[in-house]
Amino acid sequence: MTTLPPSLSPSRSQTTCASLLQELQIIWDEIGESDGERDKMLLELEQECLNIYRRKVEMTRKCKADLQNSLAQFESEIAIIVSSLGEHSFSFSRGKGTLKQQISYIRPVLEELRSKKKQRVKEFTETQSQIVKICAEIAGNGQSMMSSDPQVDERDLTVKKLGELKSHLQELQNEKIIRLQKVDSHISMIHELSVVMSFDFLKTVCGIHSSLIDPANGQSKSISNDTLAKLTGVVNSLQQEKQKRLQKLQCLGSTLIELWDLLDTPPDERKRFEHVSSLISSSVDEVLRQGSLGLDIIEQVELQVQSLNVLKASKMKELVLKRQNELEDIYRGVHIDVNSDAARQILINLIESDNVDLSNLLSSMDDQIAKAKQEALSRKDILDKVDKWKHASEEEKWLDDYEK
């Protein structure tokens, strides 16, 4: 009877094998199998068992190598993460025990470091994303540069590096605040000027950048160099236009007042353009009234000046003769003889000849009237004394007649 291979030590599995072998022997006996066939079959069985052992040993060796490789990779990854995080005070040893014990010890440490690295990468990503966003807004290409997350250099995830990024972000955020303040200030100035000069504020600002009026899809107001330059240019241009319009209205207002005075325009009619005459002594910064420098206002004043000039031309003869009457009255009041008819004829001939500027003529007559008033004032004392002497003479004559 064939026995079990000597390499197999008694165990539960071996007992089972022996039992199966005995059963096999009984079957062989019943079949009448020869000893040679039986030995051959047993040898095959022993070879198959050895092959199974060899495969198991090979698999176990591979498992051991895999565990050693995993342990080495874990240690390498820990070293890389510790270096990238800058954890110079971190110390680690794999400990003692079996490979599985060492792995079970090192795995939680690695997971904790991975979690810390993930959180640090998240901080870097968020900080760099904000930096890229603000830089894009300043550059004026915000949408094109925010389509994907920025690449984080995982070789340097130190607290120092993160601090530098956050410091840079803070500088950019401060720059953004300053730029937004400038943008709002320019928009406010444009609105103020649009109110004074009656032009389309929305159209003007939208022409610079649409986000300045109605930011869409969470987009903030444009703060790019180009937008700020355009806003500054528009503000300067509008301020110059405001100055130009004010000067024009001041000139027209002065002309209006001269014509009013010349034509003795009644107060009710002057009141229609009181808002224009009030601007004559105003500085450009003081003019804030809505529509006060609108083109329609300027056009109305120009039409009024034209109308008064036409009226002035038609009434100039009357005004010149009126000045002549005033001059004659002054002379008569101080007993100075003047040739009224000759003077009037000369004036009428000048007016009808169209060879003289009637405004200059009126100004010349105003000068004559002023001189006549001064001369009358200088003769006033003498005339008063003459009047007193005449009055005294008349009283003395009356007394003489009374006594007679």
Side-chain angles (χ1 to χ4, degrees), residues 39-93:
D39 290 341
K40 182 181 178 182
M41 290 184 185
L42 288 174
L43 190 61
E44 289 176 355
L45 283 174
E46 183 178 356
Q47 190 63 42
E48 288 179 6
C49 288
L50 289 173
N51 290 338
I52 291 173
Y53 269 98
R54 288 192 185 97
R55 286 197 300 271
K56 287 296 181 181
V57 170
E58 197 62 36
M59 289 174 60
T60 304
R61 276 201 196 98
K62 186 177 182 303
C63 180
K64 176 185 175 182
D66 290 341
L67 290 174
Q68 289 176 330
N69 186 46
S70 296
L71 190 60
Q73 288 180 350
F74 288 168
E75 289 179 330
S76 176
E77 186 176 354
I78 287 175
I80 293 172
I81 294 175
V82 168
S83 175
S84 66
L85 295 177
E87 301 286 347
H88 302 297
S89 60
F90 181 85
S91 59
F92 170 79
S93 62

Short mmCIF file of all heavy atoms in Angstrom, two decimals, residues 39-93:
data_model
loop_
_atom_site.label_atom_id
_atom_site.label_comp_id
_atom_site.label_asym_id
_atom_site.label_seq_id
_atom_site.Cartn_x
_atom_site.Cartn_y
_atom_site.Cartn_z
N ASP A 39 1.39 3.34 -8.69
CA ASP A 39 2.56 4.19 -8.38
C ASP A 39 2.63 5.39 -9.31
O ASP A 39 2.97 6.52 -8.91
CB ASP A 39 3.84 3.35 -8.49
CG ASP A 39 3.95 2.33 -7.37
OD1 ASP A 39 3.25 2.54 -6.34
OD2 ASP A 39 4.72 1.38 -7.51
N LYS A 40 2.30 5.11 -10.58
CA LYS A 40 2.31 6.20 -11.55
C LYS A 40 1.32 7.31 -11.18
O LYS A 40 1.64 8.51 -11.24
CB LYS A 40 2.01 5.64 -12.94
CG LYS A 40 2.06 6.68 -14.04
CD LYS A 40 1.72 6.02 -15.38
CE LYS A 40 1.72 7.08 -16.49
NZ LYS A 40 1.36 6.47 -17.80
N MET A 41 0.11 6.88 -10.80
CA MET A 41 -0.92 7.86 -10.44
C MET A 41 -0.54 8.63 -9.18
O MET A 41 -0.75 9.84 -9.08
CB MET A 41 -2.26 7.16 -10.24
CG MET A 41 -2.88 6.64 -11.52
SD MET A 41 -4.51 5.92 -11.21
CE MET A 41 -4.88 5.28 -12.82
N LEU A 42 0.04 7.92 -8.21
CA LEU A 42 0.45 8.59 -6.97
C LEU A 42 1.56 9.59 -7.24
O LEU A 42 1.62 10.68 -6.64
CB LEU A 42 0.92 7.56 -5.94
CG LEU A 42 -0.19 6.70 -5.31
CD1 LEU A 42 0.41 5.62 -4.41
CD2 LEU A 42 -1.14 7.59 -4.49
N LEU A 43 2.47 9.26 -8.14
CA LEU A 43 3.56 10.16 -8.50
C LEU A 43 3.01 11.44 -9.16
O LEU A 43 3.46 12.56 -8.90
CB LEU A 43 4.54 9.45 -9.44
CG LEU A 43 5.85 10.20 -9.71
CD1 LEU A 43 6.63 10.42 -8.42
CD2 LEU A 43 6.71 9.42 -10.72
N GLU A 44 2.00 11.22 -9.98
CA GLU A 44 1.36 12.39 -10.61
C GLU A 44 0.71 13.29 -9.56
O GLU A 44 0.78 14.53 -9.65
CB GLU A 44 0.33 11.91 -11.63
CG GLU A 44 0.95 11.28 -12.88
CD GLU A 44 -0.10 10.74 -13.83
OE1 GLU A 44 -1.31 10.78 -13.46
OE2 GLU A 44 0.26 10.30 -14.93
N LEU A 45 0.04 12.60 -8.60
CA LEU A 45 -0.59 13.38 -7.53
C LEU A 45 0.44 14.17 -6.74
O LEU A 45 0.25 15.36 -6.41
CB LEU A 45 -1.36 12.46 -6.59
CG LEU A 45 -2.71 11.94 -7.10
CD1 LEU A 45 -3.27 10.91 -6.12
CD2 LEU A 45 -3.68 13.09 -7.26
N GLU A 46 1.56 13.54 -6.44
CA GLU A 46 2.60 14.22 -5.66
C GLU A 46 3.18 15.40 -6.46
O GLU A 46 3.41 16.48 -5.90
CB GLU A 46 3.72 13.22 -5.34
CG GLU A 46 4.80 13.84 -4.47
CD GLU A 46 5.88 12.82 -4.12
OE1 GLU A 46 5.75 11.65 -4.49
OE2 GLU A 46 6.87 13.22 -3.46
N GLN A 47 3.33 15.23 -7.80
CA GLN A 47 3.85 16.31 -8.64
C GLN A 47 2.89 17.49 -8.68
O GLN A 47 3.28 18.66 -8.62
CB GLN A 47 4.12 15.77 -10.06
CG GLN A 47 4.88 16.74 -10.94
CD GLN A 47 6.27 17.04 -10.40
OE1 GLN A 47 6.97 16.11 -9.95
NE2 GLN A 47 6.64 18.31 -10.43
N GLU A 48 1.61 17.13 -8.77
CA GLU A 48 0.59 18.21 -8.79
C GLU A 48 0.61 18.98 -7.47
O GLU A 48 0.50 20.21 -7.46
CB GLU A 48 -0.79 17.61 -9.04
CG GLU A 48 -0.97 17.11 -10.48
CD GLU A 48 -2.35 16.50 -10.68
OE1 GLU A 48 -3.17 16.57 -9.73
OE2 GLU A 48 -2.64 16.00 -11.78
N CYS A 49 0.77 18.27 -6.35
CA CYS A 49 0.84 18.95 -5.05
C CYS A 49 2.05 19.86 -4.98
O CYS A 49 1.97 20.99 -4.49
CB CYS A 49 0.90 17.91 -3.93
SG CYS A 49 -0.68 17.06 -3.68
N LEU A 50 3.19 19.37 -5.47
CA LEU A 50 4.39 20.20 -5.45
C LEU A 50 4.21 21.47 -6.30
O LEU A 50 4.65 22.57 -5.95
CB LEU A 50 5.59 19.40 -5.96
CG LEU A 50 6.10 18.31 -5.00
CD1 LEU A 50 7.17 17.46 -5.68
CD2 LEU A 50 6.64 18.93 -3.72
N ASN A 51 3.58 21.28 -7.47
CA ASN A 51 3.33 22.45 -8.34
C ASN A 51 2.44 23.49 -7.65
O ASN A 51 2.66 24.69 -7.77
CB ASN A 51 2.69 21.99 -9.65
CG ASN A 51 3.67 21.22 -10.53
OD1 ASN A 51 4.90 21.37 -10.39
ND2 ASN A 51 3.17 20.39 -11.43
N ILE A 52 1.44 22.98 -6.93
CA ILE A 52 0.56 23.91 -6.20
C ILE A 52 1.34 24.64 -5.14
O ILE A 52 1.21 25.86 -4.97
CB ILE A 52 -0.62 23.13 -5.59
CG1 ILE A 52 -1.55 22.62 -6.70
CG2 ILE A 52 -1.38 24.01 -4.60
CD1 ILE A 52 -2.66 21.69 -6.20
N TYR A 53 2.19 23.95 -4.41
CA TYR A 53 3.03 24.58 -3.39
C TYR A 53 3.94 25.64 -4.02
O TYR A 53 4.10 26.75 -3.48
CB TYR A 53 3.88 23.52 -2.67
CG TYR A 53 3.21 22.95 -1.45
CD1 TYR A 53 2.51 21.72 -1.51
CD2 TYR A 53 3.27 23.62 -0.23
CE1 TYR A 53 1.89 21.19 -0.39
CE2 TYR A 53 2.66 23.07 0.89
CZ TYR A 53 1.96 21.88 0.82
OH TYR A 53 1.35 21.36 1.92
N ARG A 54 4.55 25.27 -5.14
CA ARG A 54 5.44 26.22 -5.79
C ARG A 54 4.69 27.51 -6.19
O ARG A 54 5.20 28.62 -6.03
CB ARG A 54 6.08 25.59 -7.04
CG ARG A 54 7.13 24.54 -6.71
CD ARG A 54 7.92 24.19 -7.96
NE ARG A 54 8.85 23.10 -7.71
CZ ARG A 54 8.59 21.82 -7.99
NH1 ARG A 54 7.42 21.47 -8.52
NH2 ARG A 54 9.49 20.89 -7.71
N ARG A 55 3.50 27.32 -6.77
CA ARG A 55 2.70 28.50 -7.17
C ARG A 55 2.33 29.36 -5.96
O ARG A 55 2.39 30.58 -6.01
CB ARG A 55 1.42 28.04 -7.90
CG ARG A 55 1.70 27.55 -9.32
CD ARG A 55 0.42 27.51 -10.14
NE ARG A 55 -0.58 26.63 -9.59
CZ ARG A 55 -0.67 25.33 -9.88
NH1 ARG A 55 0.19 24.75 -10.72
NH2 ARG A 55 -1.63 24.60 -9.36
N LYS A 56 1.97 28.69 -4.88
CA LYS A 56 1.62 29.43 -3.67
C LYS A 56 2.83 30.19 -3.13
O LYS A 56 2.71 31.35 -2.71
CB LYS A 56 1.09 28.46 -2.60
CG LYS A 56 -0.31 27.93 -2.90
CD LYS A 56 -1.33 29.06 -2.90
CE LYS A 56 -2.73 28.52 -3.17
NZ LYS A 56 -3.71 29.66 -3.19
N VAL A 57 4.00 29.54 -3.15
CA VAL A 57 5.21 30.21 -2.68
C VAL A 57 5.52 31.41 -3.56
O VAL A 57 5.88 32.50 -3.08
CB VAL A 57 6.40 29.21 -2.65
CG1 VAL A 57 7.71 29.96 -2.41
CG2 VAL A 57 6.19 28.18 -1.55
N GLU A 58 5.39 31.21 -4.89
CA GLU A 58 5.65 32.32 -5.82
C GLU A 58 4.70 33.49 -5.59
O GLU A 58 5.09 34.65 -5.59
CB GLU A 58 5.54 31.79 -7.26
CG GLU A 58 6.17 32.69 -8.31
CD GLU A 58 7.66 32.87 -8.11
OE1 GLU A 58 8.33 31.90 -7.69
OE2 GLU A 58 8.13 34.00 -8.36
N MET A 59 3.43 33.15 -5.38
CA MET A 59 2.43 34.18 -5.12
C MET A 59 2.73 34.91 -3.82
O MET A 59 2.59 36.14 -3.73
CB MET A 59 1.03 33.56 -5.06
CG MET A 59 0.50 33.09 -6.42
SD MET A 59 -1.08 32.19 -6.28
CE MET A 59 -2.10 33.44 -5.54
N THR A 60 3.18 34.15 -2.83
CA THR A 60 3.49 34.77 -1.54
C THR A 60 4.70 35.68 -1.66
O THR A 60 4.75 36.76 -1.06
CB THR A 60 3.75 33.67 -0.49
OG1 THR A 60 2.62 32.80 -0.43
CG2 THR A 60 3.97 34.29 0.88
N ARG A 61 5.71 35.22 -2.43
CA ARG A 61 6.87 36.08 -2.67
C ARG A 61 6.45 37.40 -3.33
O ARG A 61 6.91 38.47 -2.98
CB ARG A 61 7.88 35.37 -3.58
CG ARG A 61 8.82 34.45 -2.86
CD ARG A 61 10.07 34.20 -3.70
NE ARG A 61 10.79 33.05 -3.19
CZ ARG A 61 10.71 31.82 -3.68
NH1 ARG A 61 9.93 31.59 -4.72
NH2 ARG A 61 11.39 30.84 -3.15
N LYS A 62 5.57 37.28 -4.37
CA LYS A 62 5.10 38.47 -5.07
C LYS A 62 4.33 39.38 -4.13
O LYS A 62 4.46 40.61 -4.17
CB LYS A 62 4.21 38.07 -6.25
CG LYS A 62 3.80 39.24 -7.13
CD LYS A 62 3.00 38.76 -8.32
CE LYS A 62 2.63 39.93 -9.22
NZ LYS A 62 1.87 40.98 -8.54
N CYS A 63 3.52 38.79 -3.28
CA CYS A 63 2.75 39.58 -2.29
C CYS A 63 3.70 40.33 -1.37
O CYS A 63 3.50 41.50 -1.05
CB CYS A 63 1.85 38.65 -1.50
SG CYS A 63 0.86 39.53 -0.26
N LYS A 64 4.76 39.65 -0.94
CA LYS A 64 5.75 40.29 -0.08
C LYS A 64 6.42 41.45 -0.80
O LYS A 64 6.59 42.55 -0.25
CB LYS A 64 6.80 39.26 0.35
CG LYS A 64 7.93 39.86 1.18
CD LYS A 64 9.00 38.82 1.47
CE LYS A 64 10.19 39.49 2.20
NZ LYS A 64 11.27 38.49 2.44
N ALA A 65 6.79 41.20 -2.09
CA ALA A 65 7.43 42.26 -2.87
C ALA A 65 6.49 43.45 -3.06
O ALA A 65 6.91 44.61 -2.98
CB ALA A 65 7.87 41.70 -4.23
N ASP A 66 5.21 43.11 -3.30
CA ASP A 66 4.22 44.19 -3.45
C ASP A 66 4.10 45.01 -2.17
O ASP A 66 4.00 46.24 -2.21
CB ASP A 66 2.86 43.61 -3.85
CG ASP A 66 2.86 43.07 -5.26
OD1 ASP A 66 3.77 43.45 -6.04
OD2 ASP A 66 1.96 42.28 -5.61
N LEU A 67 4.08 44.31 -1.03
CA LEU A 67 3.98 45.02 0.25
C LEU A 67 5.21 45.89 0.47
O LEU A 67 5.10 47.03 0.94
CB LEU A 67 3.82 44.01 1.39
CG LEU A 67 2.47 43.27 1.46
CD1 LEU A 67 2.51 42.21 2.55
CD2 LEU A 67 1.33 44.26 1.73
N GLN A 68 6.38 45.35 0.16
CA GLN A 68 7.61 46.12 0.31
C GLN A 68 7.61 47.34 -0.62
O GLN A 68 8.01 48.44 -0.24
CB GLN A 68 8.82 45.23 0.03
CG GLN A 68 9.08 44.20 1.11
CD GLN A 68 10.22 43.26 0.76
OE1 GLN A 68 10.46 42.99 -0.41
NE2 GLN A 68 10.90 42.76 1.79
N ASN A 69 7.11 47.09 -1.86
CA ASN A 69 7.06 48.19 -2.83
C ASN A 69 6.07 49.27 -2.37
O ASN A 69 6.34 50.48 -2.45
CB ASN A 69 6.65 47.64 -4.20
CG ASN A 69 6.71 48.70 -5.27
OD1 ASN A 69 7.68 49.44 -5.37
ND2 ASN A 69 5.65 48.78 -6.08
N SER A 70 4.91 48.83 -1.87
CA SER A 70 3.91 49.77 -1.37
C SER A 70 4.47 50.57 -0.21
O SER A 70 4.29 51.79 -0.10
CB SER A 70 2.64 49.03 -0.94
OG SER A 70 2.02 48.40 -2.03
N LEU A 71 5.16 49.85 0.68
CA LEU A 71 5.75 50.52 1.85
C LEU A 71 6.77 51.57 1.40
O LEU A 71 6.79 52.70 1.92
CB LEU A 71 6.42 49.48 2.75
CG LEU A 71 6.88 49.96 4.13
CD1 LEU A 71 5.70 50.48 4.93
CD2 LEU A 71 7.58 48.83 4.87
N ALA A 72 7.59 51.21 0.40
CA ALA A 72 8.59 52.15 -0.10
C ALA A 72 7.91 53.35 -0.77
O ALA A 72 8.34 54.51 -0.61
CB ALA A 72 9.52 51.45 -1.09
N GLN A 73 6.82 53.07 -1.54
CA GLN A 73 6.09 54.17 -2.21
C GLN A 73 5.45 55.10 -1.18
O GLN A 73 5.45 56.32 -1.34
CB GLN A 73 5.03 53.60 -3.14
CG GLN A 73 5.60 52.95 -4.39
CD GLN A 73 4.52 52.39 -5.29
OE1 GLN A 73 3.35 52.30 -4.91
NE2 GLN A 73 4.91 51.96 -6.49
N PHE A 74 4.88 54.49 -0.13
CA PHE A 74 4.26 55.31 0.93
C PHE A 74 5.31 56.23 1.57
O PHE A 74 5.07 57.42 1.79
CB PHE A 74 3.65 54.41 2.00
CG PHE A 74 2.39 53.70 1.55
CD1 PHE A 74 1.85 52.67 2.31
CD2 PHE A 74 1.76 54.06 0.37
CE1 PHE A 74 0.69 52.03 1.91
CE2 PHE A 74 0.60 53.40 -0.03
CZ PHE A 74 0.07 52.38 0.73
N GLU A 75 6.45 55.65 1.87
CA GLU A 75 7.51 56.44 2.49
C GLU A 75 7.98 57.56 1.55
O GLU A 75 8.23 58.70 1.98
CB GLU A 75 8.69 55.54 2.87
CG GLU A 75 8.38 54.62 4.04
CD GLU A 75 9.56 53.72 4.38
OE1 GLU A 75 10.32 53.40 3.44
OE2 GLU A 75 9.72 53.36 5.55
N SER A 76 8.12 57.21 0.24
CA SER A 76 8.54 58.21 -0.74
C SER A 76 7.51 59.33 -0.86
O SER A 76 7.85 60.52 -0.90
CB SER A 76 8.76 57.54 -2.10
OG SER A 76 9.07 58.50 -3.08
N GLU A 77 6.22 58.93 -0.90
CA GLU A 77 5.16 59.94 -1.01
C GLU A 77 5.12 60.82 0.22
O GLU A 77 4.92 62.04 0.11
CB GLU A 77 3.81 59.25 -1.21
CG GLU A 77 2.67 60.23 -1.49
CD GLU A 77 1.35 59.52 -1.80
OE1 GLU A 77 1.35 58.29 -1.91
OE2 GLU A 77 0.34 60.24 -1.91
N ILE A 78 5.31 60.23 1.39
CA ILE A 78 5.35 61.02 2.62
C ILE A 78 6.48 62.04 2.57
O ILE A 78 6.31 63.22 2.91
CB ILE A 78 5.51 60.10 3.85
CG1 ILE A 78 4.20 59.36 4.12
CG2 ILE A 78 5.92 60.90 5.09
CD1 ILE A 78 4.29 58.32 5.23
N ALA A 79 7.65 61.59 2.10
CA ALA A 79 8.79 62.50 2.01
C ALA A 79 8.51 63.64 1.04
O ALA A 79 8.84 64.81 1.31
CB ALA A 79 10.03 61.72 1.58
N ILE A 80 7.88 63.32 -0.11
CA ILE A 80 7.57 64.36 -1.11
C ILE A 80 6.56 65.36 -0.56
O ILE A 80 6.72 66.59 -0.71
CB ILE A 80 7.04 63.71 -2.40
CG1 ILE A 80 8.15 62.90 -3.08
CG2 ILE A 80 6.48 64.76 -3.34
CD1 ILE A 80 7.67 62.08 -4.26
N ILE A 81 5.50 64.85 0.10
CA ILE A 81 4.46 65.74 0.64
C ILE A 81 5.04 66.63 1.74
O ILE A 81 4.77 67.83 1.79
CB ILE A 81 3.27 64.91 1.17
CG1 ILE A 81 2.56 64.20 0.02
CG2 ILE A 81 2.28 65.82 1.90
CD1 ILE A 81 1.44 63.27 0.46
N VAL A 82 5.84 66.00 2.63
CA VAL A 82 6.45 66.77 3.72
C VAL A 82 7.33 67.88 3.15
O VAL A 82 7.32 69.01 3.63
CB VAL A 82 7.26 65.84 4.65
CG1 VAL A 82 8.13 66.65 5.59
CG2 VAL A 82 6.32 64.94 5.44
N SER A 83 8.09 67.54 2.08
CA SER A 83 8.97 68.54 1.46
C SER A 83 8.15 69.65 0.81
O SER A 83 8.48 70.84 0.95
CB SER A 83 9.86 67.87 0.43
OG SER A 83 10.63 68.83 -0.25
N SER A 84 7.07 69.28 0.08
CA SER A 84 6.27 70.30 -0.60
C SER A 84 5.52 71.19 0.38
O SER A 84 5.34 72.39 0.13
CB SER A 84 5.26 69.64 -1.55
OG SER A 84 4.29 68.89 -0.81
N LEU A 85 5.11 70.62 1.52
CA LEU A 85 4.41 71.42 2.54
C LEU A 85 5.37 72.22 3.41
O LEU A 85 4.93 73.10 4.16
CB LEU A 85 3.55 70.51 3.43
CG LEU A 85 2.38 69.79 2.75
CD1 LEU A 85 1.67 68.88 3.75
CD2 LEU A 85 1.39 70.79 2.16
N GLY A 86 6.64 71.89 3.32
CA GLY A 86 7.62 72.60 4.13
C GLY A 86 7.55 72.23 5.60
O GLY A 86 7.90 73.04 6.47
N GLU A 87 7.11 71.00 5.88
CA GLU A 87 6.99 70.55 7.27
C GLU A 87 8.35 70.02 7.74
O GLU A 87 8.57 68.81 7.89
CB GLU A 87 5.92 69.44 7.38
CG GLU A 87 4.54 69.85 6.91
CD GLU A 87 3.86 70.77 7.91
OE1 GLU A 87 4.36 70.88 9.05
OE2 GLU A 87 2.84 71.39 7.56
N HIS A 88 9.28 70.92 7.98
CA HIS A 88 10.64 70.51 8.32
C HIS A 88 10.72 69.86 9.69
O HIS A 88 11.63 69.09 9.97
CB HIS A 88 11.58 71.73 8.27
CG HIS A 88 11.59 72.40 6.93
ND1 HIS A 88 12.02 71.77 5.78
CD2 HIS A 88 11.20 73.66 6.55
CE1 HIS A 88 11.92 72.60 4.76
NE2 HIS A 88 11.42 73.76 5.20
N SER A 89 9.77 70.16 10.55
CA SER A 89 9.80 69.59 11.90
C SER A 89 9.15 68.20 11.93
O SER A 89 9.18 67.53 12.97
CB SER A 89 9.06 70.51 12.88
OG SER A 89 7.72 70.69 12.49
N PHE A 90 8.59 67.76 10.80
CA PHE A 90 7.91 66.46 10.78
C PHE A 90 8.95 65.34 10.74
O PHE A 90 9.88 65.36 9.95
CB PHE A 90 7.01 66.37 9.54
CG PHE A 90 6.25 65.09 9.44
CD1 PHE A 90 5.04 64.93 10.09
CD2 PHE A 90 6.76 64.02 8.70
CE1 PHE A 90 4.33 63.74 9.98
CE2 PHE A 90 6.06 62.84 8.59
CZ PHE A 90 4.85 62.69 9.24
N SER A 91 8.77 64.37 11.64
CA SER A 91 9.66 63.19 11.65
C SER A 91 8.80 61.94 11.63
O SER A 91 7.71 61.91 12.22
CB SER A 91 10.55 63.19 12.91
OG SER A 91 9.75 63.18 14.09
N PHE A 92 9.31 60.88 10.98
CA PHE A 92 8.52 59.66 10.82
C PHE A 92 9.44 58.47 10.65
O PHE A 92 10.49 58.56 10.00
CB PHE A 92 7.61 59.80 9.60
CG PHE A 92 6.93 58.51 9.23
CD1 PHE A 92 5.82 58.08 9.93
CD2 PHE A 92 7.43 57.74 8.18
CE1 PHE A 92 5.22 56.89 9.57
CE2 PHE A 92 6.82 56.56 7.84
CZ PHE A 92 5.71 56.13 8.54
N SER A 93 9.03 57.35 11.26
CA SER A 93 9.71 56.06 11.03
C SER A 93 8.64 55.01 10.87
O SER A 93 7.56 55.10 11.46
CB SER A 93 10.63 55.72 12.21
OG SER A 93 9.88 55.58 13.41
#
